[in-house]
Each structure stands twice: as C-alpha cells, then as structure tokens.
Amino acid sequence: MIKKLIVLLTLAVLYGCGSDAPSIFKSEIEGSAKNFEDDIHGTYASTYTPLKSENVVIRNATIFDGNGNKFLDFDVHFSDGKIKNLGVDLEVEGAREIDATGKYVTPGIVDNHSHMGVYPAPGVRTSSDGNEATNPVTAEVWAEHSVWSQDPQYKLALAGGVTTFHVLPGSANLFGGRGVTLKNVSANTVPDMKFPDAPHSLKMACGENPKRVYRSRGPSTRMGNVAGYRKAWIGAENHKKRLERDPEYRDIKNETLVGVLDGKILVHNHCYRADEMATMINISQEFGYKVSTFHHGVEAYKIADLLADEGICAALWADWWGFKHEAYDMTIANIAIVDQARGGAGCAIVHSDSASGIQRLNQEAAKALAAGRRAGFEISEARAMTWLTKNPAKSLGILDKTGTLDLGKDADLVIWSGNPFSVYTKAEQVYIDGALTFDKASNFMPHTDFDIGIKEWEEK
C-alpha cells in the first residue's frame, strides 16, 4: 500500500498540464451549479464591474481591427467602455486625444489557453492547483475554484497586451474539469474577474498524459482513453434522462457533461496527433456535441481541411514541439496551414499555455506568420492578428463582446509602440472596457497584495 502511494505521489508530481508545462502538481476543489435550464453559472456568476471608462480618441494610428483589415492614419474613439467609431479625422467632442502617429492599435489579445492563477507565481507545491489527478474523469471540478486572484503573473501578461485569458485545468485527466474566462483586471475575488456571460468550458485531454498518469489503474492505453470518454458520455445521457423525471437530482460531474450535450459548455480538447483529433470528432458525433477547439495540435496541419469543415479551431504553438513522442511530427507552418484550409476558412489561434509565453504572444504570431510565408502562403499581418484576437474570442464564445474593434464591442485595445509583429515593439498602453490598465511610460499597472512589499522595496 505504501509503495502504491509513493508511485501515485510521484506521478502526480511528474505530470501536470501536459507535458507541456514541466512544473506541475495537482489538486483541486469541486464546485457546484444548479441543474436548471438557464442557470449554468449557478451561484458563481460573474460579479465583474468595469473600471470607469475614459472618453478617448486615438488619432493617426495604423489599425489592425481584428477582422483582417489594416487601416492607415485612422482614428478610433471609445467611451462608456465601448468602441464608438473608427475612421479618418473623426469629429469627437470632449474626448482626451492621443496622437498615435507611427504607432499601431489592435484589439486586446485573448489567450484561450492559460494556467495563470491555478499555477501561480511563485511556483510552489502548496499553490499548484491545476490538476485534480485523483480520477481520470473529474468533470465536476472548476478551475475558477483554484484560481488565485493575487497571482502577480497577470500584470506581466497585461504588459504584453493580453486583456482576456482563459484558465483551464491541466491535462492529467480525460475530463479535467471546467475552465473559466477572465478579464485581466486586478480584483480580490475570482467572480470579480469573470468575463460576463462567457460560457463555461470543459477541458478534455487525449493521448499520452491521461494514460501515463493512470496507467497503474487505467486507462493505460489510447483505447482505454476512448472507452473512458464514451463511458462518461453514456453516464451523462442517463443523467439527462433521469432529470426528466427528477429535475431536482444533483450530480455535479454529470451537470458539466450534460451542459456540453445541451450546447451550453464549450469543449476545449488537449490533443496532439491528427488521428486522435479525428477520433475525438467521431466521439463528439456519437454523442451529439461539438468540439470548440483542439489545443496544442502539433499535427493539426494533417487534418486542416477536416477542422475547417467541422468549424473547429486549433490553438497552437508557433514553434514548440518534440518534447515528447506524440509532439514530434510538427511543421512550423502548422498555424498557417490551419488558417488557410478550405480557402481561408480555418480558425487558427496562437496560444501560450505558458506564463512566460503569454507575455509575448505578438512575437509568437510573428514567427508563425514568417513560417507560413516561407511555406508559400500569402498571409497579411492583419490576417495574422486574427490569430490573437478574433479567433480565440470565437473559440471562447465571447466574439460578440471582444476580439475585434467593431462598433459597440468592449473597448479592449492596445496601443503599440510600432508594428506588433516586430520583436522591438512594446505595448505602450492597454485599455480594458475603456479604462487604462497599463501605461508603460508611467509604469502604471496593477499591483497585487502579494507584490506590494516587492514594489515598496524597489522604490526605496
């Protein structure tokens, strides 16, 4: 028995978010939601209140609008937290004016794969809460119940232009639990950060990680993985039938899975190999749900047309692969190939899965763009900007609120010192809902309770 416990503890230390994140441990608490039709959020709804918006017009900027367009010497006006207008020589009364000559403006970056908060800094075991590696099926846990709202990593991502990020459980389990989408603002509670009305997500994982973590008690093979998914979905179907005769019955694991079957919770699936992604699509067809996004798919290029046909996004790294067997067969044109599938119908996303990488996602997109062009694709910088803004917002179900500079959307935007696809460019100012949240010139940024002491020390 003691030997078995030692093995389990060792596995828990070794396998975290994936092999993707080398430093992981896991443990998580469970959440709850009512099983009523219109109450997916239960008692855990967003309490986010935007900061007071400014009334600002940014003039003479080069604008990537997030829809694939580039505008030269354009103005953008925002107030009351919303994008009000884009155009040339806008007539605006009473607004603070910013001369952005020589600078660029883009929508705020959306990272749809982060573990900030569940693996906060400093990286110690006592706050390593991303993987509930106690059972291969833990659909009942919610990442938001592990997120530490004081994680000092948020402001570093903010300095990289990230205004929204999606926190997922790790990939130790077949079903890792619910993810949560957060505004990148300083707050004392997680609900105060939750993106209003953003759908919940469900983290699933295929491939090496689950079978490696659970090999002593199963699943220990990929066929065991698939049997585990199907068994769980059958259980969800049975739960759904039970609710028809007993609507008050509670089962928090199946409440999540039924939420997926009902189309209210979005599936985000960690998966590397093309054949496994195709299998996961088959499973979704068997049980009648849809995969929103495959994450990390280093072999996505092999089934790019299939992904485009199914309307599934692929969240990918620009040039990280080869760190384990299932991650070897990649091309650095992966993102471009997915993007250009079916005549440009693909949904490619540059994600981080890294508290460091999230600070420079614009540079990651630049690398993917360069690789795509070398492979012969004619892809514009404006198109590549959709990989960081529009497409991840689409994958998270929040494109109606953010991800582009369309009129009426949240005024989440970034003023860059130059072309954001240049390694020399920095985010100068970041606005969330029209409020200035980062200003490089004045070193204005949030400071958590955790790093107040550090800041005071730095100022002495």
Side-chain angles (χ1 to χ4, degrees), residues 248-430:
E248 299 298 323
Y249 183 73
R250 299 296 310 272
D251 179 331
I252 58 175
K253 177 181 74 178
N254 278 315
E255 284 169 9
T256 295
L257 299 181
V258 169
V260 173
L261 297 179
D262 288 345
K264 297 175 180 176
I265 295 178
L266 305 177
V267 170
H268 287 259
N269 202 148
H270 160 120
C271 211
Y272 288 79
R273 281 184 4 191
D275 57 335
E276 288 195 275
M277 285 185 266
T279 298
M280 299 307 290
I281 292 172
N282 288 341
I283 295 169
S284 72
Q285 293 168 341
E286 177 182 358
F287 294 98
Y289 67 89
K290 180 175 174 54
V291 177
S292 169
T293 306
F294 284 114
H295 293 246
H296 313 334
V298 300
E299 295 185 9
Y301 66 95
K302 296 181 179 178
I303 55 167
D305 288 345
L306 173 62
L307 297 177
D309 292 342
E310 295 292 328
I312 299 173
C313 297
L316 309 167
W317 293 296
D319 57 359
W320 191 29
W321 80 96
F323 43 87
K324 59 179 176 176
H325 188 198
E326 64 183 357
Y328 263 95
D329 198 7
M330 182 182 159
T331 166
I332 57 174
N334 195 23
I335 291 173
I337 294 172
V338 170
D339 176 78
Q340 293 296 299
R342 298 295 191 212
C347 177
I349 295 167
V350 179
H351 71 340
S352 75
D353 188 25
S354 162
S356 174
I358 196 173
Q359 300 171 33
R360 54 190 69 84
L361 279 170
N362 59 313
Q363 295 178 20
E364 296 301 308
K367 289 191 289 186
L369 175 60
R373 287 174 169 174
R374 284 197 297 271
F377 296 106
E378 296 182 0
I379 302 173
S380 69
E381 292 175 339
R383 171 82 178 186
M385 184 54 63
T386 67
W387 304 343
L388 298 174
T389 61
K390 181 179 182 178
N391 292 350
K394 174 185 175 183
S395 83
L396 298 176
I398 55 174
L399 182 56
D400 61 328
K401 303 285 183 60
T402 193
T404 71
L405 298 182
D406 292 333
L407 307 191
K409 285 194 176 181
D410 295 351
D412 300 341
L413 50 84
V414 184
I415 302 176
W416 302 88
S417 60
N419 188 330
F421 294 97
S422 166
V423 71
Y424 299 106
T425 293
K426 305 290 185 184
E428 289 193 340
Q429 291 188 335
V430 179

